[in-house]
């Protein structure tokens, strides 16, 4: 059976990097994996969405249809709300409790919603909301929030038997490996 994971964030948060590490880990574990990316002016604070579909069987398309994502991982609160329509009824949401105004908010085309996490919890039974950015800052670099969210996702997916340490070592600069290994573990620990 194919599993669908949607990751969403704002440009610069490492959404695509986390999706690529997830993809590499799944491929090394023998899954057929398809990944797609959508960049909405991502380098200038626009929306970024990565879709990862995997299975032991052949996966034919990288695109996740609305209402079919097993897990939505959002690197920012508004992006969680915006991509919630992709979640299937019994799916789970992992959300970084951080508010980063996207370009549409900064230009006034859209307003940043209040009380996003409570709104998501009304719509979804399984919500894992925590401040990954604050946790990463405590570890020494706020940019490791993406790996914290990846760690949480891996635990929820039950894919902890994959050699994630090796995947991290292959995908981050050597001087940041220890930080990212700690971040990955912090994300796993954040999911109870």
């Amino acid at each position: 059976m194919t599993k669908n994971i949607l990751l969403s964030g704002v440009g610069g948060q490492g959404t695509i990097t986390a999706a690529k590490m997830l993809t590499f880990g799944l491929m090394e574990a023998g899954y057929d994996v398809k990944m797609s990316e959508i960049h909405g002016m991502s380098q200038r604070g626009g929306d970024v969405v990565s879709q990862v579909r995997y299975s032991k069987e052949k996966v034919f398309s990288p695109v996740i249809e609305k209402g079919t994502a097993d897990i939505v991982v959002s690197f920012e609160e508004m992006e969680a709300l915006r991509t919630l329509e992709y979640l299937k009824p019994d799916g789970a949401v992992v959300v970084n409790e951080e508010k980063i105004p996207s370009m549409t908010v900064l230009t006034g085309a859209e307003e940043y919603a209040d009380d996003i996490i409570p709104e998501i919890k009304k719509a979804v039974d399984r919500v894992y909301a925590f401040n990954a950015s604050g946790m990463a800052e405590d570890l020494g670099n706020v940019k490791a929030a993406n790996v914290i969210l990846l760690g949480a996702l891996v635990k929820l997916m039950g894919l902890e038997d994959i050699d994630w340490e090796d995947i991290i070592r292959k995908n981050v600069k050597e001087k940041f490996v220890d930080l990212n290994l700690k971040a990955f573990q912090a994300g796993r620990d954040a999911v109870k």
Side-chain angles (χ1 to χ4, degrees), residues 5-8 14-26 33-37 48-53 73 75 146-147 149-150 153 164 167 171:
I5 311 298
L6 187 139
L7 300 94
S8 65
T15 308
I16 293 170
T17 300
K20 285 181 179 178
M21 284 196 279
L22 174 63
T23 299
F24 292 141
L26 291 167
V33 185
K34 300 291 185 282
M35 178 186 153
S36 71
E37 308 164 4
V48 177
V49 175
S50 289
Q51 299 180 2
V52 178
R53 301 185 73 229
V73 180
F75 290 53
N146 66 334
V147 178
L149 292 165
L150 176 63
L153 172 62
W164 293 105
I167 299 301
N171 287 281

Side-chain angles (χ1 to χ4, degrees), residues 17 28 45 80 89 127 146 153 162 172 180:
T17 300
E28 287 201 10
V127 178
N146 66 334
L153 172 62
I162 294 171
V172 300
N180 281 279

Side-chain angles (χ1 to χ4, degrees), residues 70-191:
D70 294 281
I71 302 174
V72 169
V73 180
S74 185
F75 290 53
E76 190 277 333
E77 290 183 23
M78 181 76 105
E79 291 304 307
L81 193 58
R82 190 176 67 75
T83 56
L84 204 56
E85 65 187 345
Y86 285 90
L87 190 68
K88 67 184 190 180
D90 61 342
V93 175
V94 177
V95 60
N96 180 13
E97 291 178 332
E98 181 177 28
K99 294 181 179 186
I100 300 175
S102 67
M103 225 13 158
T104 56
V105 172
L106 293 173
T107 60
E110 171 175 70
E111 285 189 36
Y112 206 102
D114 292 326
D115 300 324
I116 292 173
I117 302 298
E119 190 170 332
I120 292 170
K121 287 182 176 180
K122 284 183 204 171
V124 179
D125 290 334
R126 295 187 305 142
V127 178
Y128 302 88
F130 52 91
N131 187 345
S133 297
M135 293 165 64
E137 197 168 353
D138 290 346
L139 290 173
N141 189 332
V142 72
K143 290 189 175 194
N146 66 334
V147 178
I148 291 174
L149 292 165
L150 176 63
L153 172 62
V154 163
K155 184 169 182 182
L156 277 177
M157 293 167 55
L159 294 171
E160 295 179 278
D161 57 331
I162 294 171
D163 189 351
W164 293 105
E165 180 176 339
D166 183 57
I167 299 301
I168 290 168
R169 288 187 184 282
K170 289 178 179 175
N171 287 281
V172 300
K173 292 181 182 173
E174 188 175 337
K175 67 182 181 178
F176 297 116
V177 167
D178 288 339
L179 166 72
N180 281 279
L181 291 173
K182 289 176 187 171
F184 186 79
Q185 185 59 49
R188 289 171 56 188
D189 292 344
V191 174

